[in-house]
Amino acid sequence: AQSVAQPEDQVNVAEGNPLTVKCTYSVSGNPYLFWYVQYPNRGLQFLLKYITGDNLVKGSYGFEAEFNKSQTSFHLKKPSALVSDSALYFCAVRDRGGATNKLIFGTGTLLAVQP
Amino acid sequence: GAGVSQTPSNKVTEKGKYVELRCDPISGHTALYWYRQSLGQGPEFLIYFQGTGAADDSGLPNDRFFAVRPEGSVSTLKIQRTERGDSAVYLCASSPDRRGEQYFGPGTRLTVT
């Protein structure tokens, strides 16, 4: 079974500092990995995805993620955090075992950026 | 363009009642997904439509849950004899096809009292 894990319930960072939100995966075969962000009372917004190619993926709002096959990780990063980045972040893997391509999500990490 | 819309945004119902939740996908998107997000958890897959047919309903928790998409566009998730454990945010997502990126709606927050 495919899964992702987000080991941190919450990450605190000061505005202007770099941020990292961790994600590890467990899949058979090549993974299709995603990051989504959820603001209060709003739906999930797509940030970026890794399908194949470069291990460093650039996405929306200045976020990027590094795919590391040996460590089975896909950590989300941003060089300089903004207070407006405070939100709930979800890592997900696409289930390629069947015809659905449904997403399997982690439990989420709350990012709090202090001014 | 218009994104995925869901109505109502909030629904409060009494235990045992029947509810319907509506999803309006992005125009032209053939793939439609329903997910359920319980408090403190990530979204969990419920059902997937390709066109009008439910291609995968393996995530539906029991036979009280049912969903339709009769014309291949709007979808309705139906829950019979609601229970307090059904309280959650129900998310809908659509995609140009099953391989495409999924775009999520704002969700319907269901509270069963």
Side-chain angles (χ1 to χ4, degrees):
Chain A
Q2 307 196 72
S3 64
V4 291
Q6 295 180 246
E8 303 156 316
D9 290 336
Q10 182 162 339
V11 169
N12 299 306
V13 63
E15 187 174 31
N17 283 1
L19 69 87
T20 298
V21 182
K22 295 180 180 177
C23 173
T24 58
Y25 65 88
S26 175
V27 304
S28 54
N30 294 322
Y32 287 5
L33 296 161
F34 300 78
W35 276 101
Y36 282 83
V37 60
Q38 187 173 41
Y39 296 99
N41 299 316
R42 294 177 65 178
L44 292 165
Q45 295 180 30
F46 170 80
L47 279 179
L48 51 81
K49 65 183 177 184
Y50 172 82
I51 303 296
T52 187
D54 289 342
N55 290 340
L56 186 63
V57 179
K58 293 190 182 297
S60 306
Y61 312 120
F63 283 93
E64 58 189 27
E66 185 171 9
F67 173 70
N68 187 316
K69 189 172 183 178
S70 63
Q71 296 185 6
T72 62
S73 66
F74 188 57
H75 300 333
L76 181 70
K77 300 182 179 185
K78 187 173 182 180
S80 178
L82 300 173
V83 172
S84 58
D85 292 330
S86 299
L88 190 55
Y89 290 79
F90 289 97
C91 181
V93 62
R94 179 179 288 172
D95 182 5
R96 301 172 60 199
T100 303
N101 282 339
K102 65 191 178 197
L103 293 174
I104 299 168
F105 288 88
T107 51
T109 298
L110 183 64
L111 175 65
V113 181
Q114 283 89 34
Chain B
V4 178
S5 62
Q6 293 186 246
T7 54
S9 55
N10 281 283
K11 176 71 176 177
V12 180
T13 190
E14 293 179 347
K15 179 176 177 296
K17 299 290 188 182
Y18 167 83
V19 296
E20 290 189 352
L21 312 179
R22 176 188 168 109
C23 172
D24 221 318
I26 293 172
S27 178
H29 281 193
T30 59
L32 186 146
Y33 301 79
W34 283 98
Y35 293 83
R36 178 167 73 172
Q37 185 176 14
S38 300
L39 194 63
Q41 300 295 317
E44 293 180 317
F45 170 77
L46 293 177
I47 187 169
Y48 158 65
F49 287 90
Q50 181 58 45
T52 60
D56 183 352
D57 64 358
S58 62
L60 295 178
N62 51 60
D63 61 6
R64 295 187 297 105
F65 288 75
F66 189 71
V68 296
R69 195 186 185 198
E71 298 179 355
S73 178
V74 170
S75 176
T76 305
L77 179 65
K78 308 180 181 194
I79 310 174
Q80 298 177 323
R81 304 183 305 280
T82 51
E83 300 177 356
R84 293 193 180 90
D86 299 334
S87 296
V89 176
Y90 289 80
L91 297 168
C92 176
S94 72
S95 178
D97 54 56
R98 70 179 184 89
R99 296 187 181 278
E101 205 167 285
Q102 293 181 31
Y103 297 84
F104 283 81
T108 293
R109 182 176 298 277
L110 175 66
T111 303
V112 182
T113 62

